[in-house]
């Protein structure tokens, strides 16, 4: 995956946007380093090497900056999905890559999952609308088209795309959102690279093939 | 399902616990009526017909009352799971009933999902530990035993119980936790009885049989 900021760097006109980009890159890196979305505007500005007052100028406030960061990431992710959909491989192979892609993206950018939850559930309604618009809508639309490809190819059962989205995204999300509480309850460790790989393999089999053994699934 | 408070009513010694029970019942009913966990201690006490000061006496504070409510519900749910595990039906049939049970319980008691999220993610660490201890741990333990039954009966593939728990609970949880944002993004309606029935059917097929059509799953 290319560095996430690339597309926005290219998308925006040059000039004063350079400062905005630097702030977004700094915010993403800082949250990744600290493994927390609880970073101050002061620290973000310092890491970006710009005056903290410029955050207000470019983004209004911290929620505005976080929203811009999520939108930057969403643009990249959705471009990857369009690319995947157009590949000359089977719908099943695309679905496996999509499942792995969701889990890898959450793992690579731990702040993304938490920011989405924060924006959807704790910030004001307007930020939630924005996140829905550039994350939930396009992702659902992608899955709708992939599911249709799979049904047309005779590979997939017919499933309701909204219900499928809910189950797949919910299951992927929960690895990152719930691991903390599971660590407490049952002593499982954090989400390491190995846990991530194991979960990808688990989800590919569960979503594509189901829990039943093949000879039972047919009967 | 019996009225949730029954088991606690019987479990606790009579006397001053009657007031505590009345407060728990009132809190559950009030949050269900209002479809929100944002209820005041004053309103809970009023509905229970007891003095608000007694909340402090019995539960310390509102988080204490909410924790006691979740524990009451957890005790009932875990008893149902033990009952299910002992039934003379196939592991596949038990798994279908379990999936339906999770979704129905969240639907019937909408506050439960939100309270668990609140306790695990927003309240203090001690409350999160408690919720993990009486919800996450026993539910995982039940699934571990059911999965073992299914493998022993030759019906299930071998899956890691922790990863399976994450995917199943995450998928069920997401219907209730994410519907609000999906309503915004794509205009789907709220979680009605019909949506719930549809999701149960979807999840039973997805988890047991997978997305691939049977003749493909075998190949």
């Amino acid at each position: 995956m290319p560095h996430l900021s690339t597309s926005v760097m290219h998308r925006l006109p040059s000039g004063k946007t350079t400062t905005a980009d630097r702030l977004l890159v700094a915010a993403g890196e800082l949250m990744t380093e600290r493994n927390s979305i609880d970073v101050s505007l002061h620290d973000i500005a310092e890491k970006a090497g710009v005056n903290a007052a410029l955050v207000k100028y470019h983004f209004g406030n911290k929620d505005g900056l976080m929203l811009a960061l999520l939108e930057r990431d969403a643009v990249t992710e959705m471009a990857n999905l369009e690319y995947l959909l157009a590949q000359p491989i089977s719908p099943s192979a695309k679905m496996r890559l999509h499942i792995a892609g969701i889990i890898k993206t959450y793992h690579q950018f731990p702040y993304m999952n938490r920011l989405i939850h924060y924006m959807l559930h704790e910030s004001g309604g307007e930020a939630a609308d924005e996140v829905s618009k550039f994350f939930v809508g396009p992702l659902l639309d992608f899955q709708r088209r992939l599911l249709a490809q799979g049904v047309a190819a005779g590979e997939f059962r017919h499933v309701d795309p909204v219900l499928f989205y809910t189950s797949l995204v919910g299951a992927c999300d929960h690895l990152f959102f719930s691991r903390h509480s599971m660590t407490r309850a049952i002593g499982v460790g954090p989400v390491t690279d190995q846990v991530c790989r194991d979960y990808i393999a688990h989800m590919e089999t569960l979503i594509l093939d189901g829990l039943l053994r093949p000879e039972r699934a047919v009967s």
Side-chain angles (χ1 to χ4, degrees), chain A:
Chain A
M1 186 184 297
H3 191 282
L4 274 181
S5 64
T6 315
S7 65
V8 171
M9 295 267 188
H10 289 180
R11 205 163 48 90
L12 296 173
S14 59
K16 75 170 184 181
T17 52
T18 307
T19 304
D21 282 341
R22 282 221 302 275
L23 284 165
L24 293 181
V25 171
E29 288 178 356
L30 207 56
M31 289 190 290
T32 302
E33 283 165 26
R34 295 195 186 164
N35 194 24
S36 167
I37 62 168
D38 196 17
V39 295
S40 73
L41 286 183
H42 175 84
D43 289 355
I44 295 170
E46 189 174 74
K47 190 176 178 76
V50 308
N51 190 304
L54 287 173
V55 176
K56 268 208 159 48
Y57 174 74
H58 285 290
F59 301 107
N61 54 29
K62 190 179 161 188
D63 275 9
L65 188 150
M66 294 300 159
L67 198 60
L69 182 66
L70 275 183
E71 186 165 14
R72 181 198 75 171
D73 294 352
V75 165
T76 310
E77 294 307 323
M78 297 314 153
N80 289 342
L81 293 183
E82 285 302 321
Y83 180 81
L84 175 61
L85 205 61
Q87 292 308 297
I89 55 176
S90 73
S92 308
K94 291 179 193 176
M95 184 60 81
R96 288 179 202 281
L97 288 171
H98 176 48
I99 292 169
I102 298 176
I103 297 170
K104 279 184 196 160
T105 302
Y106 273 151
H107 184 53
Q108 197 176 355
F109 306 104
Y111 65 82
M112 204 186 283
N113 181 273
R114 284 175 226 169
L115 264 191
I116 291 174
H117 277 281
Y118 170 77
M119 288 292 175
L120 289 178
H121 300 286
E122 291 172 55
S123 71
E126 207 176 307
D129 286 348
E130 285 297 309
V131 171
S132 300
K133 211 183 295 167
F134 60 64
F135 249 117
V136 182
L139 189 53
L140 175 63
D141 183 58
F142 161 80
Q143 290 183 0
R144 191 189 299 276
R145 288 181 289 154
L146 177 52
L147 288 170
Q149 281 188 0
V151 170
E155 292 181 23
F156 296 169
R157 300 170 200 279
H158 175 79
V159 293
D160 179 301
V162 172
L163 301 185
F164 183 80
Y165 170 95
T166 304
S167 46
L168 177 57
V169 173
C172 293
D173 181 286
H174 213 59
L175 179 65
F176 300 91
F177 196 60
S178 80
R179 192 76 178 187
H180 196 54
S181 64
M182 292 186 72
T183 305
R184 281 184 163 122
I186 52 167
V188 299
V191 180
T192 59
D193 290 354
Q194 186 59 49
V195 168
C196 233
R197 281 193 293 272
D198 291 345
Y199 200 58
I200 288 171
H202 164 78
M203 283 296 292
E204 284 182 3
T205 302
L206 189 68
I207 296 293
L208 274 298
D209 303 311
L211 180 63
L212 292 182
R213 291 178 60 197
E215 58 270 34
R216 306 283 306 197
V218 178
S219 66

